[in-house]
Amino acid sequence: MYDIITIGEILVEILAKEIGQELCAPGIFLGPYPSGAPAICIDQVGRMGAKAAIIAKVGDDDFGLLNLRRLQGSGVDVSRVLVTDSNTTGVAFNTYFPDGGRKFLFHFSHAACGELCADDVDKDAIVNSRYLHIMGCSITGSPTMGEAIIQAVRLAKENGVKISFDPNIRPELLKGKIMDYYQEIIDASDVLLTGKSELRFLFGDDIDGAIRKLLEQKDRIIVMKDGSRGTRYYSRKEAFSVAVYPATEVDPTGAGDCFDATFLSMLCQGADMRTAVHYANAAGAFAVGKAGPMEGNTWKRDLDAFFETTARSEEKDLPMLC
């Protein structure tokens, strides 16, 4: 039995060395770093001590090996990762700009990860898990990957496996069948881990109204991440906010995935909701402090040590919305 299983892309990331470095010009790059939103997330799950697995596809190459070694070293079961010689492991090139913006160039849809299809979904692995965690960006990776993910969601729903969803929105890709997939997963989700801007994009400016409607629809957990303004938690039982922990930002890529993983892992290990949010906020702060999407992932023992010497950040009760 897995605590948490995920499905989606495994990539390597190549990071521009200089801020403002254009991808359309020669320059010095750092990497390769193991990457892919589901891979970053499940790596952190493994480091938190929860039983973790991922369904994915990599090439029979050094980039695939880099990822598999990293995930195995963090305690993730990679036996459901298929290795193919028909395509190479996917690559993402990433550069940052002075205003904090970033730009990606992906080799994704026509790489090994983009080959993932519904036939690759391991039913037994899904059914024998406590949580299936889905990253929204993965749905848009390729048509066959979207089909694989929605099949996994339907299997989880049919078999009583809880579904966790981080919309991780790419607005320009949310159209047609992709939007239908998003809606189906949101409706099925037991835990919605989302940014404030994503809630606004999906449901409009009345965020409280959107949260109220989601809670009326289903007894679920909603965690709204709002950057430096902290995190809000809502359910039918309680509502509260938790402030962030200080961080020196080097590379924000993967911090949200790390947050998701830490929160879910703490739930699997019996933590109360407030403790789970505090640990997730702290893990997110650690995640941004190192270059490379997985390099800031944190072992649970390090988070435990952090809280032994650091007071919890400010916590406030919020009005109930349901």
Side-chain angles (χ1 to χ4, degrees):
M1 171 71 74
Y2 298 116
D3 290 314
I4 302 165
I5 191 167
T6 192
I7 178 171
E9 72 276 14
I10 293 178
L11 311 166
V12 295
E13 184 169 313
I14 309 297
L15 181 63
K17 184 177 180 180
E18 304 296 335
I19 301 295
Q21 182 176 326
E22 294 285 353
L23 295 179
C24 60
I28 297 174
F29 290 83
L30 306 175
Y33 295 110
S35 189
I40 299 166
C41 179
I42 209 65
D43 180 83
Q44 177 67 13
V45 171
R47 291 186 170 218
M48 289 295 295
K51 193 168 183 183
I54 182 170
I55 298 172
K57 186 172 281 190
V58 297
D60 186 12
D61 51 39
D62 286 347
F63 287 173
L65 184 60
L66 169 72
N67 274 284
L68 294 177
R69 284 177 173 171
R70 166 65 190 233
L71 294 173
Q72 285 178 311
S74 295
V76 178
D77 184 345
V78 296
S79 63
R80 270 75 182 183
V81 178
L82 303 174
V83 179
T84 178
D85 59 6
S86 64
N87 248 323
T88 56
T89 301
V91 181
F93 291 86
N94 182 15
T95 188
Y96 289 100
F97 297 102
D99 64 357
R102 56 183 172 168
K103 183 177 183 179
F104 286 96
L105 192 159
F106 288 103
H107 171 52
F108 189 136
S109 297
H110 300 292
C113 54
E115 291 182 3
L116 192 72
C117 65
D119 288 343
D120 298 326
V121 176
D122 188 321
K123 179 181 178 180
D124 289 340
I126 298 292
V127 170
N128 290 296
S129 298
R130 296 172 66 185
Y131 285 91
L132 168 67
H133 182 64
I134 301 297
M135 307 298 300
C137 58
S138 302
I139 304 166
T140 65
S142 73
T144 60
M145 183 181 287
E147 292 166 4
I149 289 169
I150 204 68
Q151 176 166 306
V153 168
R154 290 167 181 168
L155 283 171
K157 183 179 178 181
E158 291 166 5
N159 290 277
V161 177
K162 291 184 177 181
I163 297 165
S164 172
F165 184 44
D166 184 335
N168 206 350
I169 288 173
R170 293 178 189 165
E172 69 276 8
L173 298 177
L174 282 184
K175 54 187 177 182
K177 186 178 287 188
I178 298 298
M179 197 63 231
D180 292 339
Y181 286 168
Y182 259 77
Q183 191 60 57
E184 181 173 348
I185 299 170
I186 289 170
D187 289 345
S189 67
D190 299 281
V191 181
L192 184 62
L193 299 159
T194 179
K196 184 176 182 179
S197 60
E198 293 170 328
L199 270 179
R200 182 174 285 116
F201 180 87
L202 290 168
F203 298 105
D205 290 335
D206 184 6
I207 295 215
D208 285 355
I211 293 172
R212 184 178 292 109
K213 183 177 179 181
L214 287 164
L215 291 176
E216 289 172 349
Q217 179 189 54
K218 184 175 182 177
D219 186 7
R220 53 164 52 105
I221 290 168
I222 300 171
V223 180
M224 187 178 76
K225 298 170 280 186
D226 194 16
S228 62
R229 290 166 291 279
T231 302
R232 296 186 179 191
Y233 171 99
Y234 296 94
S235 71
R236 291 180 176 178
K237 296 179 181 178
E238 59 181 332
F240 59 87
S241 66
V242 173
V244 298
Y245 289 92
T248 300
E249 184 174 296
V250 175
D251 184 355
T253 300
D257 310 321
C258 192
F259 178 104
D260 297 348
T262 304
F263 179 80
L264 293 172
S265 297
M266 292 297 288
L267 295 193
C268 289
Q269 293 169 9
D272 64 85
M273 299 299 173
R274 295 179 185 235
T275 297
V277 174
H278 277 286
Y279 266 71
N281 272 3
F286 277 105
V288 303
K290 292 184 179 180
M294 278 189 208
E295 305 314 298
N297 284 11
T298 316
W299 295 96
K300 185 174 185 293
R301 60 178 177 266
D302 295 323
L303 291 172
D304 290 337
F306 172 78
F307 282 107
E308 286 175 3
T309 59
T310 305
R312 289 190 177 191
S313 61
E314 184 180 13
E315 185 181 305
K316 292 182 180 179
D317 291 327
L318 299 174
M320 296 290 292
L321 294 179
C322 185

